Amino acid sequence: MLLWFVIAYWVISVAIGLWAALRVKNTADFAVAGRHLPFYMVTATVFATWFGSEAVLGIPATFIDGNLQSIVADPFGSALCLILVGLFFAAPLYRMKLLTIGDFYKRRYGRKVEVLTSLAIVVSYLGWVGAQITALGLVFNVVSQGAISQEMGMWIGSVTILIYTFFGGMWAIAITDLVQMIVIVLGLLYIGGEVSQMAGGVGTVIDHAAAAGKFEFWPSMDLKELIAFTAAACTMMLGSMPQQDVFQRVQSAKSEKIAVWGSVLGGSLYFMFAFVPLFIGYAATIIAPDMVKQLMAEDSQLILPQFVMQHMPFIAQVLFFGALLSAIKGCASATLLAPSVSFAENILKPMLPPMTDKQTLLTMRIVTLVFTCFVMVYALNTEATIFGMVESAYQITLVSAFIPLAFGVYWRRATNQGALLSIFAGVAVWQGVIWLGPEDPFVPAQFAGLIASFFGMIIGSLMPQYIEHNHDIHDQLHRGEHAHESLN
């Protein structure tokens, strides 16, 4: 019976996405919903995009195994990313009226930087989307009680998400995200209430967690621990900023004000509701300690699904898996579209003969199909956990794309040469520490890469310039002048 409810919800979600596809008339509709989304839809799509499998499955498992310090990357870093994007980047980027984040790098630094950063962004999404596809396979396997293998569930999930993303693009994602946000919030709050009663109240769960040291957040005053803590926070908080899915939500808004505050509110809601699965997961250690202990040894990502299946009433099971599927679908569809649009617009399109808008739209859809295939290959062959895939996904953008973005918006003297040196220094040091450094380096590889990227930008911009550059774009960002290129 539960499986049929899940299937029915899945079919309805896909149908809503296909209905939304009727709004797609051109590339602007497909990529950024024609810049027509109202405040509540921007907030919902920001929230639903980030509230994925790691929030419901990965973060609780990591918290149970560790403490708050173990999850500094997500939800702390992730939520701060969205809030900081809204406060510091949404307005200037919105004024440029661009289709992709890669277009910013092109306008600010030129074609070479556009290609390099766009490639880094596309590659980073393999881990993020792979985590969502892996979680879909896990859900179908659990609710079917093994009748559907995890691999088959991954195929079912990826194909159905591809269908409405392929046709509906950002419009389909925005409308389905609104529905999914409602399901996530209501479903998890209901489950949280049921679990609280079973565990003896919210206070009992909190006191138990406090006694077990689960609320320890700040590292000790050991320098190595401080650096590791900072590196973990920065990976998601800064590495996620130069991302197409975040950029799409900013660009999809009806106005600059909506772009700013939709991102801030969406990030704040994400942070608050990320603690509901944490509460449910930890309550499970009180209600069913033997089951949790067994699954921690086998596969900690199954703790919440198995706990709900074994200890919760049927209506709670329906609501939980409805919320879980909503979380995964919202995140997977957005992160499937984002790299596909970036690759088509910033890497493939300039290499091809001039295309009409319809031809560009078709190209974006074909790339979406191809990228889905690459994600499936990655997801089926990786041994990383859901939380691990998400956390590692943004190391490459942290070391290559964040500094050129931040300095491109806020430092007038940033140049094409500085951006190129920043990218090469960041990636070289990051990979050098991974391949040539010790197994447990004093400075984590991605943090060393970020520092190298920072100094690469400073040195490359201040030294004599061998690559032509002008600063007009930076001035336009802060005068509020619109770029001459506009969306259809």
Side-chain angles (χ1 to χ4, degrees):
M1 183 64 71
L2 176 62
L3 179 60
W4 285 112
F5 270 100
V6 168
I7 291 173
Y9 174 69
W10 195 258
V11 171
I12 292 170
S13 298
V14 173
I16 292 173
L18 290 175
W19 170 75
L22 298 174
R23 292 172 175 259
V24 177
K25 307 299 182 184
N26 52 45
T27 54
D29 290 335
F30 187 79
V32 291
R35 293 167 67 97
H36 290 312
L37 296 187
F39 178 71
Y40 68 91
M41 290 190 74
V42 173
T43 301
T45 193
V46 167
F47 172 87
T49 298
W50 284 69
F51 205 97
S53 61
E54 74 290 345
V56 183
L57 301 178
I59 296 175
T62 305
F63 174 73
I64 291 170
D65 195 37
N67 50 31
L68 285 181
Q69 187 182 137
S70 305
I71 56 172
V72 63
D74 195 4
F76 292 94
S78 296
L80 275 173
C81 166
L82 295 172
I83 293 169
L84 293 174
V85 164
L87 294 176
F88 295 104
F89 293 97
L93 291 177
Y94 187 85
R95 294 182 196 126
M96 293 185 75
K97 291 189 175 182
L98 304 174
L99 203 62
T100 68
I101 187 69
D103 290 343
F104 166 80
Y105 292 106
K106 179 183 179 180
R107 295 285 314 284
R108 187 67 172 87
Y109 300 115
R111 173 66 177 159
K112 292 185 178 68
V113 174
E114 173 197 19
V115 171
L116 292 172
T117 51
S118 295
L119 282 173
I121 289 167
V122 170
V123 170
S124 72
Y125 277 101
L126 281 175
W128 187 277
V129 189
Q132 313 313 313
I133 298 301
T134 299
L136 284 174
L138 186 149
V139 171
F140 279 111
N141 179 256
V142 171
V143 298
S144 68
Q145 298 183 335
I148 299 175
S149 68
Q150 185 163 343
E151 291 76 14
M152 180 58 67
M154 290 166 68
W155 279 109
I156 293 171
S158 61
V159 169
T160 49
I161 288 174
L162 171 64
I163 290 172
Y164 73 80
T165 305
F166 182 91
F167 291 104
M170 189 61 199
W171 265 119
I173 290 167
I175 293 174
T176 54
D177 278 354
L178 179 62
V179 175
Q180 284 154 192
M181 177 181 174
I182 295 170
V183 174
I184 290 169
V185 171
L186 295 180
L188 288 180
L189 287 178
Y190 176 82
I191 298 292
E194 290 288 310
V195 168
S196 174
Q197 292 182 7
M198 295 171 66
V202 175
T204 300
V205 177
I206 292 176
D207 290 343
H208 192 283
K214 295 298 178 180
F215 295 149
E216 294 179 7
F217 180 72
W218 299 108
S220 66
M221 289 299 102
D222 177 76
L223 182 59
K224 184 177 180 180
E225 284 193 29
L226 285 170
I227 293 174
F229 178 85
T230 305
C234 286
T235 300
M236 293 291 286
M237 180 172 59
L238 305 183
S240 301
M241 286 185 185
Q243 287 292 349
Q244 178 63 14
D245 60 315
V246 176
F247 177 84
Q248 280 176 311
R249 272 121 203 89
V250 169
Q251 292 296 315
S252 298
K254 287 175 65 175
S255 69
E256 183 180 312
K257 186 176 181 180
I258 290 174
V260 171
W261 296 110
S263 182
V264 171
L265 180 58
S268 302
L269 289 174
Y270 170 75
F271 181 75
M272 290 188 290
F273 276 95
F275 284 91
V276 179
L278 283 184
F279 174 82
I280 297 170
Y282 192 78
T285 66
I286 300 173
I287 300 167
D290 293 337
M291 182 205 75
V292 172
K293 183 178 180 180
Q294 179 184 347
L295 290 175
M296 285 299 294
E298 297 174 359
D299 187 353
S300 58
Q301 297 167 148
L302 288 170
I303 290 175
L304 256 67
Q306 290 292 359
F307 171 70
V308 171
M309 288 289 287
Q310 295 178 26
H311 297 276
M312 301 294 288
F314 180 72
I315 184 62
Q317 294 176 15
V318 171
L319 289 172
F320 173 79
F321 285 103
L324 178 55
L325 286 173
S326 293
I328 298 170
K329 286 172 74 275
C331 190
S333 56
T335 51
L336 191 61
L337 176 68
S340 305
V341 169
S342 287
F343 186 84
E345 179 70 15
N346 299 113
I347 298 175
L348 197 57
K349 184 180 176 181
M351 299 168 59
L352 300 174
M355 294 187 291
T356 65
D357 190 75
K358 286 187 176 180
Q359 290 172 327
T360 302
L361 178 59
L362 177 61
T363 302
M364 288 180 177
R365 285 171 166 163
I366 292 172
V367 173
T368 304
L369 172 62
V370 174
F371 187 74
T372 304
C373 296
F374 276 107
V375 168
M376 280 301 301
V377 171
Y378 173 81
L380 288 169
N381 289 281
T382 186
E383 295 182 358
T385 64
I386 291 171
F387 187 84
M389 278 190 276
V390 170
E391 187 178 19
S392 63
Y394 293 125
Q395 291 189 17
I396 185 170
T397 45
L398 176 70
V399 303
S400 63
F402 170 71
I403 294 296
L405 172 66
F407 278 68
V409 173
Y410 284 105
W411 193 39
R412 188 177 189 275
R413 299 186 66 179
T415 65
N416 300 359
Q417 181 175 283
L420 286 170
L421 187 56
S422 174
I423 294 168
F424 285 118
V427 173
V429 170
W430 171 53
Q431 286 298 298
V433 174
I434 289 175
W435 292 103
L436 303 176
E439 287 188 17
D440 184 23
F442 189 83
V443 178
Q446 76 272 24
F447 197 60
L450 175 64
I451 295 170
S453 179
F454 172 84
F455 284 107
M457 173 61 79
I458 299 294
I459 294 169
S461 296
L462 295 181
M463 68 186 293
Q465 299 298 297
Y466 299 98
I467 300 175
E468 185 179 351
H469 181 88
N470 73 69
H471 299 280
D472 290 346
I473 298 301
H474 177 274
D475 295 340
Q476 289 175 10
L477 285 171
H478 297 283
R479 285 200 305 262
E481 294 179 6
H482 289 190
H484 68 274
E485 297 171 321
S486 62
L487 297 173
N488 294 318

